[in-house]
Amino acid sequence: MHRGAERFTFLRCRRCDLVYLSPRVGAAALDRYYDASYLPHRGAPAWGRFARFATEGQRRTDKARVRLAREAAPLGDGSAVLDVGCGQPSFLEVLVRATGARGVGVDPSDAGWAREPTRWSSAGLTLRKGAVPDALGDGPFDLLTMWHALEHDYQPLETLRLLRGAVRPGGALLIEVPDYDSLTRSLHGDSWAGFHTPRHTAAYTRATLRAMLERAGWSVERQQRHGTLDPYILYWLGRQERAGRSLDGNLEAAFPWFMLGKVLTLPIVLAQRWISLGVQVAVARAPAPR
């Protein structure tokens, strides 16, 4: 794997089969990989005059995530939801307005919300810059969500154990991560966007994700080999990685080609319930006391 002139290596554990980054970038040096040019922090404006289309795509993603969240836990007035790695917290914004639940987000960086503080405060969100422990005082929670956050975590087992203690009895955890056993990974090899070096510390299969959750004390209720993130995005990002194209700056010129590829691959994307295209979801529950 590489990022510019830098090269990184993923290994597979002989005991547990987990694919993991080794060595990892020191935690103190991570900020330079999550700077202002980091695409998820830039959001729709990165696409220039096509920003409105990117905004609509995010809206559809948020609606799909709200639907999964409501399937995982009964939410309403008096409920509380913690979104770990919330980035730009548009999912929480939509969820709170749809259910009346109290929404809390935590992220190591506030770049996703610092530019629009009024928007998020008017939605009633509580946003914490920091790690999971910094948000635990806002619990207990009925639902915990991690949308493409676990693969960034330097201590995933410890994080999952902390979250296990932050939910009410019977509470749920909803996780979406890239799927290592997927078509996009097979096609792109070491350029696969699910590696996202060096920001991702692990690449999970369904089996290794289940094992991690169970070791942390969760009961895995359901797993599926499709999710809310459009798998074409993973494919497109992998193509850019393989070609050595930078995603810094204005991406306006790339948008027509992005959309052309999206249309051409639509028949494959429609088959994602039967073929893993790069994304997986797990729903786990905290066992209720007997």
Side-chain angles (χ1 to χ4, degrees):
M1 308 335 118
H2 60 87
R3 182 181 187 270
E6 298 178 273
R7 297 198 65 84
F8 303 92
T9 301
F10 275 82
L11 303 175
R12 185 190 291 270
C13 177
R14 292 181 179 179
R15 289 190 300 170
C16 71
D17 216 33
L18 180 68
V19 176
Y20 63 97
L21 181 66
S22 180
R24 298 182 300 188
V25 172
L30 272 178
D31 283 351
R32 71 188 180 97
Y33 297 100
Y34 291 95
D35 59 16
S37 67
Y38 182 46
L39 189 56
H41 286 170
R42 293 163 62 205
W47 296 94
R49 63 192 175 98
F50 297 107
R52 66 185 185 278
F53 296 103
T55 299
E56 175 59 22
Q58 184 61 53
R59 188 189 68 82
R60 290 196 300 269
T61 298
D62 289 335
K63 285 183 65 176
R65 290 177 175 175
V66 168
R67 184 168 60 253
L68 283 181
R70 299 181 82 165
E71 291 173 358
L75 300 174
D77 292 340
S79 301
V81 178
L82 172 63
D83 187 27
V84 178
C86 63
Q88 188 180 84
S90 57
F91 155 70
L92 275 178
E93 178 185 42
V94 176
L95 180 73
V96 167
R97 288 177 176 165
T99 66
R102 180 167 56 90
V104 180
V106 62
D107 197 282
S109 170
D110 64 356
W113 68 78
R115 288 173 295 183
E116 298 180 283
T118 304
R119 172 181 173 181
W120 313 115
S121 61
S122 65
L125 304 185
T126 300
L127 302 173
R128 306 290 185 197
K129 178 183 177 182
V132 166
D134 297 305
L136 297 186
D138 296 297
F141 301 98
D142 300 276
L143 176 66
L144 309 165
T145 57
M146 299 183 79
W147 305 108
H148 294 273
L150 187 67
E151 64 268 33
H152 292 257
D153 202 300
Y154 267 43
Q155 300 292 335
L157 183 60
E158 180 181 339
T159 294
L160 292 174
R161 284 173 172 160
L162 283 172
L163 293 175
R164 169 67 182 80
V167 292
R168 294 188 174 99
L173 170 64
L174 177 55
I175 293 180
E176 182 173 293
V177 294
D179 184 358
Y180 181 81
D181 287 337
S182 63
L183 179 61
T184 50
R185 201 270 304 172
S186 298
L187 288 173
H188 289 149
D190 63 6
S191 297
W192 182 49
F195 289 131
H196 199 43
T197 52
R199 302 178 184 97
H200 290 184
T201 64
Y204 295 92
T205 65
R206 283 188 298 170
T208 55
L209 180 58
R210 173 181 283 271
M212 183 82 71
L213 286 163
E214 290 176 345
R215 283 187 64 194
W218 292 92
S219 175
V220 178
E221 191 171 88
R222 177 166 58 91
Q223 289 183 274
Q224 62 187 44
R225 301 191 76 170
H226 58 92
T228 63
L229 181 67
D230 182 351
Y232 176 71
I233 293 175
L234 273 181
Y235 175 78
W236 182 82
L237 288 172
R239 289 286 299 272
Q240 309 318 298
E241 176 74 14
R242 176 172 284 187
R245 300 188 186 104
S246 171
L247 297 179
D248 296 347
N250 191 312
L251 299 178
E252 185 176 296
F255 187 81
W257 298 106
F258 173 89
M259 290 304 299
L260 176 62
K262 185 174 174 65
V263 171
L264 292 176
T265 58
L266 183 59
I268 299 174
V269 171
L270 292 175
Q272 64 178 310
R273 289 182 177 271
W274 301 277
I275 304 171
S276 177
L277 298 180
V279 182
Q280 61 172 314
V281 165
V283 177
R285 201 163 300 279
R290 297 181 179 179

